[in-house]
Amino acid sequence: MGFGKGCHLHLIDGSAFIFRAYHALPPLTRKSDGVPIGAVSGFCNMLHRYVEGNTGPDAPTHVAVIFDKGSHTFRNDMYDLYKANREAMPEDLRPQIPLTRRATEAFNVACKELEGYEADDIIATLSCQARAAGGRVTIISSDKDLMQLVGDGVEMLDAMKNLRIDRDGVFEKFGVYPDRVVDVQALAGDSVDNVPGAPGIGIKTAALLINEYGDLETLLDRAEEVKQPKRRQTLVENRAQIELSKRLVQLDCETPLDFTLDDLEVKAPEAEVLLGFLAEMEFRTLSKRISDSLGVEAPEIPEAPATAPDLPDAPEAPAIDPEAYECVADMAALEVWIARIRERGYVAVDTETTGLNEMTADLVGISLACEAGQACYIPLAHRAGDGEGLFSDDALAAGQLPLNAVLDALKPVLEDDAVLKIGQNMKYDAKIFARYGVQVAPIDDTMLISYAQHAGEHGHGMDALAERYLSHTPIPIKSLLGSGKSMITFDKVKIADAVKYAAEDADITLRLWQVMKPQLHLRKVTTVYETLERPLVPVLARMEMAGIKVDRNTLSRMSNAFSQTMARLEAEIHELAGETFNVGSPKQLGEILFDKMSLPGGKRGKTGAYGTGADVLEDLATEHELPRRILDWRQVSKLKSTYTDALQEHINPETGRVHTSYSIAGANTGRLASTDPNLQNIPVRTEEGRRIREAFVADSGKVLLSLDYSQIELRILAHIAGIEALKEAFRDGQDIHAATASEMFNVPMAEMTPDVRRQAKAINFGVIYGISGFGLARNLRIPRAEAQGFIDRYFERFPGIREYMDDTVAFAKEHGFVQTLFGRRINTPEINAKGPHAGFARRAAINAPIQGTAADVIRRAMIRMDDAIAHLPARMLLQVHDELLFEVDQGAEDAVIKVAREVMEGAADPAVKLAVPLVVDAGKGANWAEAH
DNA sequence: CCTGTCACG
DNA sequence: GACGTACGTGACAGGG
């Protein structure tokens, strides 16, 4: 039947259905394999209830479920911040999206989407077409953005409240009829979609204005006539922004569709298809209900043995047996594995390579597992050997599939949204695959699953996890590669040995996932894992692969200069000491200073050696010339060995750039750690050290941007501990250390001296670290009693601090962990210990929520940043705890700063409403020294 | 492999 | 009552 007069079209907002289903249900997983399935279940129930209810005169003749597709739409081209403050889709929802499409098809309902358009636009276009053809339309959604479509036979239905919305319903909501809804929305804006609107004008005022002037254009043209000065001003000043807002909320009725209304005719579901799908999802109740109403036999859904139990007990799994693993050596066997994976919907993956550096290591083999005890290894690049340890340079060992053929076959699975790829430290494998043209997604990571639950309790490496959660000791890599000088690379391992080791890794990863993933929700860290851990993997992978350009000549010139300085200082030191010795040896130095020269203050540490740290030498510098020379020598030596020399070794010969690696699960507080090389401790505090940063340069035609949070930890402390005076100072944009000093010492801000401010600054930091009189005294080099006096006064003036400290420690003692504002859990197993450990654990517990919350904030910013700057010629290169470094095309600096700053300053929203503003400072330059 | 030292936030 | 203490990291050199 063609669509025309007398026809009734139902348009269902698919995304709304999915999100409602997702949030309405607990995180259910499919019994047989643990795949997340809650949203699909809810979706099917809602769809079923909808179909059942379609009887009588209002029943539709045509129906479609409309989905969003892709996160980038034409609205982002108009306004790059459109929907920028949206929370990222929960990672356990993502793999369910394709399943909801299949569910719709299983119900024999048309399922439509269009790349680059929102569902709302498709709904608008279809509504217009249906209206033009003389038919009726019901839009099943409660989204107010769709209300502009109501009227002339188009109505909305809020399925949840079973409430029909017609022209009068729209008037109730917006104070205007549907044809003026966009005008009101343009003025009022929308915080959910990040439509700016006119500041200070809400729906009420907007409707008032529109009704008075007729429409938005007239209002804006005659804005000068508006009586209220505030409103007049905001209308005049924000005209462009209001007009942009209107374009953003205006739905597109001309969406290019590749189907017609006739294609949407209502069809009865085919029992076999629908029940088959429900059986596959293991929805027993719904399957029974539907087969009853269709009058057919319900299919038997076998009660699968739970391999992914919801209980913390280890699953019944076969013993780990490396002899049982399969070596995949022909394409037919590979195809069998691919079919298995597709059937399962998930697979544990592990790569073997020639080294630990993902940027230079070559792929040697891939292992897979999708059921405990069943794993395979696909050798790809093992070298032919003579059996005596000699290897051919180019000949491959027999019995291996061609690498390209294997990657071509695996790529569709590894990139399939509906197949979850599980790994241990997936960032490593994802980067390796990326270098071979495969973008692995979506992923789960057992290392991060462990980290979210057990940070502070134990390590998260595979060996430690296997030991603890599977009571199994994996084959040590050393047994294959050896160690030290005679160590070999994995491509020289015999294939038979490699199969056992590599397949075991995949098997163990899969088993760990089965045991640990369901425990995330028991420890209430599912959201932490889904929003702060898992989505960070692709972000960091991209940053690491981008790397940063480092100028070798600059470094090498500095190295030479440092060599000369060191030689000169060394000669002076030997002269002053009266003998030659190894200046770099603290042991020899201690003996010279305290035994031979009998300088005061020699204290032996627990190993019996004298301490010669910078603080000790600093105190001695008044006594003798030698300690100052040593300090100078050490500074130069450090800069040379750790930076100007070592950094050159890290320049990748192919890219000319330095590629660090971030460990996500390294620091207990949620901070990242940078290794190989560590780019989070490049000197900045001294003038000489800062010059190292001149070697970190922008590529030609580009500029480096540095954006850093100002005082983020103190701001978070002010919020968490609820310190009114601090909060106020931050809200007023005051110099926080000066403000603290003023409050503590009763000095007016105008009369503040640098020294008083410096002391207040030390106390502020001390508080964050779990202050002690001793520590503060040492830091400020003042008597301990005086330091304690400062602390007492601080607590007196800011009483919330003491309360926060006591509450935090009490919480830790009771629960064994502390938490950040975003729910990150940092375990404190030592908190109830006796002895010297106790103090450390206490201070760490006080510091962790503050440092950890700051770490969460910047993680959130980084995760959102990729999308936010996707349309700008910019990429994120480095993170240094409170700083993000970007490389951007010349000319785009200001645009990127604007967007990136907005993302960073708003990173806590909407999950946490901070009582203090987050402020981001920005700089730019040809190198890192200039940008910072 | 451990310890001391020092670079960063 | 004494003891030892600022929080979180990683890299390098020396020395067993």
Side-chain angles (χ1 to χ4, degrees):
Chain A
M1 176 174 83
F3 191 92
K5 209 167 168 57
C7 288
H8 186 182
L9 170 66
H10 273 195
L11 295 169
I12 299 173
D13 181 350
S15 306
F17 257 46
I18 293 174
F19 277 95
R20 189 169 287 169
Y22 177 76
H23 291 294
L25 291 172
L28 305 174
T29 53
R30 183 157 63 189
K31 213 30 181 308
S32 64
D33 57 15
V35 165
I37 212 83
V40 184
S41 166
F43 185 88
C44 287
N45 275 305
M46 289 162 71
L47 208 52
H48 174 241
R49 236 176 317 165
Y50 162 78
V51 171
E52 289 278 276
N54 274 335
T55 51
D58 256 0
T61 57
H62 295 69
V63 64
V65 181
I66 314 295
F67 292 99
D68 293 316
K69 186 163 192 196
S71 58
H72 181 81
T73 70
F74 66 91
R75 289 189 178 80
N76 295 102
D77 296 333
M78 291 196 245
Y79 181 54
D80 46 21
L81 290 175
Y82 181 67
K83 296 202 173 178
N85 56 14
R86 269 285 154 94
E87 286 281 279
M89 180 184 298
E91 284 291 327
D92 61 329
L93 178 54
R94 193 177 297 274
Q96 300 190 61
I97 302 296
L99 293 175
T100 58
R101 306 275 197 284
R102 286 188 51 206
T104 311
E105 282 158 8
F107 277 89
N108 215 0
V109 172
C111 166
K112 300 296 177 189
E113 60 194 355
L114 186 61
E115 184 72 46
Y117 288 87
E118 293 181 56
D120 290 359
D121 294 307
I122 303 176
I123 291 173
T125 304
L126 290 170
S127 300
C128 292
Q129 291 177 2
R131 186 158 46 192
R136 281 180 63 199
V137 180
T138 299
I139 299 166
I140 294 145
S141 172
S142 52
D143 188 342
K144 58 183 172 10
D145 295 339
L146 289 165
M147 292 192 176
Q148 56 184 280
L149 301 170
V150 169
D152 283 341
V154 179
E155 289 188 350
M156 285 177 67
L157 175 66
D158 184 336
M160 216 49 189
K161 299 181 192 143
N162 200 22
L163 188 70
R164 283 206 159 260
I165 301 163
D166 53 12
R167 284 174 52 83
D168 293 327
V170 173
F171 189 88
E172 251 176 65
K173 175 92 190 166
F174 278 104
V176 293
Y177 286 100
D179 53 338
R180 291 286 159 254
V181 162
V182 285
D183 291 353
V184 168
Q185 285 184 290
L187 286 170
D190 183 350
S191 59
V192 179
D193 292 347
N194 210 27
V195 172
I201 294 186
I203 288 187
K204 288 266 164 60
T205 313
L208 213 70
L209 289 165
I210 293 297
N211 283 327
E212 190 178 342
Y213 289 83
D215 60 38
L216 183 65
E217 288 65 35
T218 314
L219 170 66
L220 291 176
D221 286 342
R222 294 169 50 194
E224 298 291 352
E225 301 169 21
V226 173
K227 291 175 202 71
Q228 298 84 348
K230 255 266 166 64
R231 288 181 197 170
R232 185 168 62 233
Q233 190 190 358
T234 189
L235 287 173
V236 172
E237 280 177 3
N238 296 290
R239 177 167 191 148
Q241 186 173 312
I242 294 165
E243 285 167 341
L244 168 69
S245 299
K246 178 161 178 174
R247 292 201 300 279
L248 288 173
V249 297
Q250 179 84 58
L251 296 178
D252 181 1
C253 273
E254 311 269 305
T255 310
L257 301 176
D258 58 356
F259 59 93
T260 68
L261 291 171
D262 301 348
D263 299 328
L264 307 182
E265 204 174 333
V266 170
K267 289 174 279 185
E270 289 172 32
E272 205 175 312
V273 175
L274 178 53
L275 293 173
F277 176 77
L278 297 174
E280 186 192 326
M281 295 296 116
E282 300 170 15
F283 297 155
R284 285 182 191 74
T285 316
L286 187 58
S287 180
K288 176 86 170 54
R289 197 179 301 153
I290 288 179
S291 44
D292 284 354
S293 72
L294 292 174
V296 298
E297 188 78 16
E300 199 56 38
I301 302 173
E303 187 73 48
T307 53
D310 284 325
L311 299 169
D313 311 335
E316 291 288 328
I320 295 173
D321 175 15
E323 301 298 329
Y325 299 131
E326 178 186 342
C327 178
V328 172
D330 62 74
M331 288 308 282
L334 180 61
E335 290 304 333
V336 170
W337 271 95
I338 290 172
R340 269 186 183 171
I341 295 168
R342 289 215 168 275
E343 200 187 333
R344 276 273 152 172
Y346 60 78
V347 59
V349 185
D350 187 34
T351 56
E352 302 304 333
T353 64
T354 53
L356 287 173
N357 183 332
E358 311 94 308
M359 289 301 294
T360 54
D362 293 319
L363 188 58
V364 176
I366 299 167
S367 44
L368 306 169
C370 43
E371 197 171 324
Q374 294 186 23
C376 72
Y377 178 61
I378 313 162
L380 298 169
H382 288 260
R383 300 227 234 141
D386 63 356
E388 308 277 320
L390 284 173
F391 288 86
S392 151
D393 269 350
D394 42 25
L396 291 176
Q400 301 183 88
L401 287 168
L403 187 139
N404 286 334
V406 170
L407 286 175
D408 285 348
L410 282 175
K411 182 177 161 88
V413 184
L414 293 175
E415 296 186 346
D416 190 335
D417 251 6
V419 178
L420 180 68
K421 273 68 63 175
I422 305 154
Q424 163 71 17
N425 189 14
M426 252 315 216
K427 178 158 64 65
Y428 181 89
D429 306 279
K431 282 170 75 180
I432 296 289
F433 276 120
R435 278 185 37 231
Y436 288 85
V438 177
Q439 309 299 324
V440 181
I443 61 112
D444 238 345
D445 192 326
T446 46
M447 181 180 79
L448 302 183
I449 289 170
S450 171
Y451 180 60
Q453 303 178 57
H454 304 293
E457 218 173 293
H458 56 70
H460 315 287
M462 195 173 75
D463 291 355
L465 297 182
E467 205 71 63
R468 189 175 276 261
Y469 297 97
L470 304 176
S471 306
H472 174 78
T473 310
I475 301 169
I477 187 70
K478 258 195 197 167
S479 70
L480 301 182
L481 305 183
S483 65
K485 218 168 140 54
S486 59
M487 198 161 123
I488 57 169
T489 44
F490 204 86
D491 54 335
K492 292 175 182 167
V493 172
K494 274 203 307 219
I495 291 179
D497 295 334
V499 170
K500 292 179 199 140
Y501 169 84
E504 187 194 59
D505 274 6
D507 188 14
I508 289 173
T509 302
L510 182 76
R511 292 171 193 247
L512 286 172
W513 179 75
Q514 290 173 333
V515 174
M516 302 187 76
K517 179 89 194 260
Q519 297 183 343
L520 279 171
H521 75 266
L522 292 179
R523 293 190 173 77
K524 304 190 170 46
V525 286
T526 302
T527 303
V528 169
Y529 174 69
E530 299 294 352
T531 62
L532 298 172
E533 311 292 348
R534 179 148 72 162
L536 198 59
V537 172
V539 176
L540 291 177
R542 270 196 292 278
M543 290 168 67
E544 295 169 14
M545 295 185 73
I548 182 165
K549 189 171 173 187
V550 171
D551 183 53
R552 184 187 297 276
N553 287 334
T554 304
L555 291 180
S556 126
R557 266 200 310 274
M558 293 174 85
S559 269
N560 290 335
F562 289 150
S563 289
Q564 291 180 20
T565 309
M566 281 171 73
R568 175 176 57 78
L569 286 168
E570 212 166 308
E572 291 174 17
I573 288 165
H574 291 159
E575 174 76 32
L576 285 165
E579 66 178 285
T580 59
F581 68 102
N582 186 345
V583 184
S585 164
K587 183 169 173 283
Q588 293 179 32
L589 174 65
E591 285 158 11
I592 300 265
L593 289 174
F594 301 113
D595 290 340
K596 181 174 179 197
M597 300 170 63
S598 312
L599 291 173
K603 269 211 297 263
R604 292 181 191 271
K606 44 181 172 272
T607 55
Y610 289 113
T612 65
D615 49 347
V616 177
L617 298 185
E618 202 67 52
D619 287 341
L620 286 178
T622 50
E623 303 279 327
H624 199 277
E625 275 183 65
L626 184 54
R628 173 60 58 200
R629 294 286 199 288
I630 301 280
L631 285 167
D632 290 346
W633 182 90
R634 279 191 183 164
Q635 192 196 9
V636 178
S637 161
K638 178 81 180 179
L639 293 177
K640 178 168 152 59
S641 67
T642 309
Y643 300 104
T644 57
D645 288 352
L647 224 35
Q648 296 185 55
E649 305 296 308
H650 283 283
I651 298 174
N652 183 303
E654 273 174 43
T655 63
R657 300 167 75 95
V658 172
H659 305 266
T660 184
S661 178
Y662 289 100
S663 55
I664 314 178
N668 290 334
T669 52
R671 273 199 180 177
L672 301 179
S674 159
T675 66
D676 308 302
N678 181 354
L679 295 186
Q680 290 180 322
N681 73 344
I682 303 302
V684 71
R685 291 175 187 170
T686 67
E687 176 55 37
E688 277 185 305
R690 198 155 45 234
R691 297 206 45 218
I692 308 266
R693 293 188 174 220
E694 291 170 11
F696 289 76
V697 294
D699 208 346
S700 58
K702 297 181 193 289
V703 181
L704 292 182
L705 297 185
S706 162
L707 284 87
D708 68 295
Y709 284 108
S710 160
Q711 307 289 0
I712 186 166
E713 292 194 356
L714 268 180
R715 288 171 197 265
I716 286 166
L717 173 73
H719 171 93
I720 294 184
I723 317 296
E724 277 312 318
L726 285 184
K727 286 198 270 188
E728 233 181 271
F730 277 126
R731 278 193 286 245
D732 296 347
Q734 290 181 37
D735 173 341
I736 197 65
H737 300 310
T740 306
S742 167
E743 179 75 27
M744 270 188 65
F745 303 116
N746 298 320
V747 183
M749 290 287 273
E751 294 165 29
M752 189 59 53
T753 65
D755 197 56
V756 174
R757 183 183 178 280
R758 184 183 62 86
Q759 294 193 324
K761 183 176 174 180
I763 301 169
N764 275 332
F765 278 106
V767 168
I768 292 173
Y769 297 149
I771 200 157
S772 76
F774 182 90
L776 183 64
R778 202 175 61 169
N779 192 281
L780 284 176
R781 298 170 177 282
I782 56 176
R784 200 172 148 175
E786 194 179 337
Q788 191 56 54
F790 285 176
I791 293 169
D792 292 344
R793 189 149 44 192
Y794 193 96
F795 284 156
E796 200 178 292
R797 293 298 166 95
F798 307 106
I801 299 276
R802 159 98 340 122
E803 217 171 296
Y804 162 74
M805 291 181 154
D806 292 347
D807 290 353
T808 304
V809 172
F811 184 95
K813 284 189 166 162
E814 185 184 342
H815 297 99
F817 64 88
V818 292
Q819 279 175 303
T820 66
L821 286 182
F822 297 91
R824 175 183 299 285
R825 171 175 169 145
I826 298 116
N827 294 287
T828 56
E830 302 271 73
I831 194 78
N832 288 314
K834 296 273 169 272
H837 297 311
F840 282 111
R842 198 189 100 87
R843 290 190 298 273
I846 290 168
N847 174 258
I850 302 166
Q851 188 180 116
T853 298
D856 292 347
V857 167
I858 198 165
R859 280 185 184 223
R860 290 167 65 90
M862 292 169 75
I863 289 163
R864 292 176 185 175
M865 196 62 76
D866 268 2
D867 270 350
I869 64 171
H871 316 102
L872 294 166
R875 50 185 183 171
M876 194 161 48
L877 303 187
L878 300 179
Q879 187 250 42
V880 193
H881 309 308
D882 64 359
E883 171 189 7
L884 293 175
L885 193 73
F886 299 82
E887 186 175 46
V888 311
D889 279 8
Q890 259 165 29
E893 299 94 322
D894 294 343
V896 176
I897 288 176
K898 181 171 181 293
V899 172
R901 171 179 275 145
E902 208 147 340
V903 170
M904 288 173 76
E905 291 184 344
D909 307 325
V912 170
K913 182 85 201 96
L914 288 177
V916 287
L918 292 179
V919 171
V920 168
D921 298 324
K924 58 182 168 185
N927 61 59
W928 199 0
E930 282 177 29
H932 189 81

